[in-house]
Amino acid sequence: MSANGDSRPEVLRDSAEKLAQTSESVSASSQELTSSTEKLKDSADRRTELAADRTVLAAERTYAAWIRTGLASLASGIGAKKLLDGVVHEWLIIGTGSLLVLFSAMCFVVAVWRELFPGVTSPDPSVRRLPPVLLIISNGFLTLVAIAALFGIWFGRTGG
């Protein structure tokens, strides 16, 4: 017996019970922490995946902007020949129209370039990218149209 009247086995048993309770508490806390970490990891993975999807969609909007700019420049270059006839010298009409049409061809080429080679590699998005063959064919056609318009500006008639 100890000085306060407790027997040694009872003290040991109480200590063992407290130790078992503490161990169970630590184990439960560890399981909660593991579960929380897994949820956080899943959440971070999902945010990364969504960011990759947003990147693909933003690249498509940028591609569309290049095409719009190229089409507007092509129309302006073709229209410059008719619009500026009788207003400015012939060489200025041909120069202005040529620059606008050449700029449109550059826009069509850059649109494909920026879409196919974005520069930054991101995780695999769940959104499908535009097929490269489709981009090359459609923008190749637009570039040929721009070149044909350029020849029209150089060798076509001015005025009505």
Side-chain angles (χ1 to χ4, degrees):
M1 286 223 152
S2 65
N4 61 4
D6 291 335
S7 66
R8 194 77 175 148
E10 279 184 29
V11 172
L12 288 174
R13 190 177 19 220
D14 289 343
S15 290
E17 286 176 9
K18 288 180 184 178
L19 184 60
Q21 289 172 353
T22 303
S23 176
E24 288 174 13
S25 175
V26 167
S27 177
S29 177
S30 173
Q31 288 175 351
E32 288 177 20
L33 184 60
T34 301
S35 173
S36 175
T37 302
E38 287 174 4
K39 287 178 185 176
L40 186 60
K41 181 181 174 192
D42 290 343
S43 174
D45 289 344
R46 182 65 182 146
R47 282 195 306 268
T48 302
E49 187 178 292
L50 290 173
D53 291 348
R54 285 191 301 271
T55 301
V56 169
L57 297 173
E60 288 179 3
R61 287 190 301 276
T62 303
Y63 169 79
W66 278 108
I67 297 300
R68 277 192 310 271
T69 303
L71 290 172
S73 180
L74 180 62
S76 298
I78 293 170
K81 190 155 186 175
K82 285 283 189 188
L83 183 66
L84 296 176
D85 183 40
V87 178
V88 294
H89 292 289
E90 180 75 18
W91 65 268
L92 189 56
I93 294 171
I94 291 173
T96 301
S98 296
L99 283 175
L100 287 167
V101 170
L102 287 172
F103 178 73
S104 74
M106 184 211 65
C107 286
F108 300 142
V109 171
V110 169
V112 171
W113 181 266
R114 296 296 297 160
E115 181 68 22
L116 295 181
F117 305 105
V120 178
T121 57
S122 61
D124 291 332
S126 60
V127 175
R128 292 184 51 201
R129 296 185 73 93
L130 295 171
V133 171
L134 177 66
L135 296 174
I136 292 169
I137 290 172
S138 62
N139 285 38
F141 174 74
L142 290 172
T143 303
L144 289 176
V145 169
I147 291 169
L150 188 62
F151 282 116
I153 289 172
W154 288 346
F155 304 114
R157 284 185 330 137
T158 304

